[in-house]
Amino acid sequence: NLAELSAEFDELPDWEDRCDLLIDLGMELPDLSAEEKVEANRVHGCQSNVWLVMITSGTGEQQRIKIRAQSEAMIVNGLICVLLAIYDGKTPQEILEISPQAIFQRLDLDRHLSPQRKNGLSGMVQRIRGLAAELLSQQS
């Protein structure tokens, strides 16, 4: 979860160690199936290929969004793990109330990621938030 992830990042003194942690996290990410790695699930704007699958469960205010994703790049898989800690299993309302930029700053990711990695991360966040906003509007 996000609290545990923040605590792990806090224990690491420099970016190289944090980068190693991201890579380690990314290695634990479950693989997507070939059927999930299709153009419709690809996130555009990322430096490497990233596929993002979102599944909803429940209805109304109890509706939750389950997220699965994978990249061809190890560090991006680590960033996906951060996004999962932030968003996975949340309601659309909870997703829209979260400020990912504040979390990225807290983890010191905003300072050390290349512009292309930031674009990819932003693309994933926009895709997740877009689905959450769409689902929330359907509830009204």
Side-chain angles (χ1 to χ4, degrees):
N1 67 33
L2 190 55
E4 292 169 348
L5 187 63
S6 291
E8 282 189 71
F9 269 80
D10 287 346
E11 292 176 12
L12 302 173
D14 61 27
W15 172 245
E16 285 183 32
D17 291 334
R18 290 174 180 208
C19 189
D20 288 342
L21 174 60
L22 283 174
I23 291 169
D24 289 345
L25 289 170
M27 290 178 160
E28 297 173 16
L29 195 65
D31 290 338
L32 293 179
S33 68
E35 293 79 27
E36 293 171 309
K37 290 182 179 179
V38 295
E39 186 61 27
N41 292 334
R42 198 163 76 79
V43 178
H44 297 276
C46 296
Q47 183 176 351
S48 59
N49 283 324
V50 175
W51 298 272
L52 184 79
V53 178
M54 294 180 285
I55 302 162
T56 60
S57 64
T59 57
E61 292 181 12
Q62 300 303 315
Q63 190 170 41
R64 304 246 173 221
I65 298 175
K66 180 76 179 149
I67 303 166
R68 293 178 24 82
Q70 185 179 10
S71 173
E72 296 173 335
M74 288 187 295
I75 194 161
V76 176
N77 279 335
L79 294 172
I80 289 169
C81 288
V82 172
L83 290 178
L84 292 177
I86 295 170
Y87 293 120
D88 190 44
K90 301 277 192 298
T91 67
Q93 183 68 43
E94 289 170 328
I95 286 172
L96 294 175
E97 290 173 354
I98 295 169
S99 170
Q101 291 78 13
I103 295 168
F104 299 150
Q105 284 178 333
R106 166 122 174 55
L107 299 177
D108 209 20
L109 296 176
D110 60 324
R111 219 168 37 114
H112 293 286
L113 294 177
S114 70
Q116 288 178 315
R117 294 266 190 251
K118 286 180 187 178
N119 278 347
L121 192 56
S122 176
M124 288 185 278
V125 167
Q126 288 174 2
R127 183 104 165 246
I128 293 166
R129 290 178 58 85
L131 176 64
E134 181 182 319
L135 292 171
L136 202 56
S137 73
Q138 291 172 2
Q139 292 175 9
S140 305

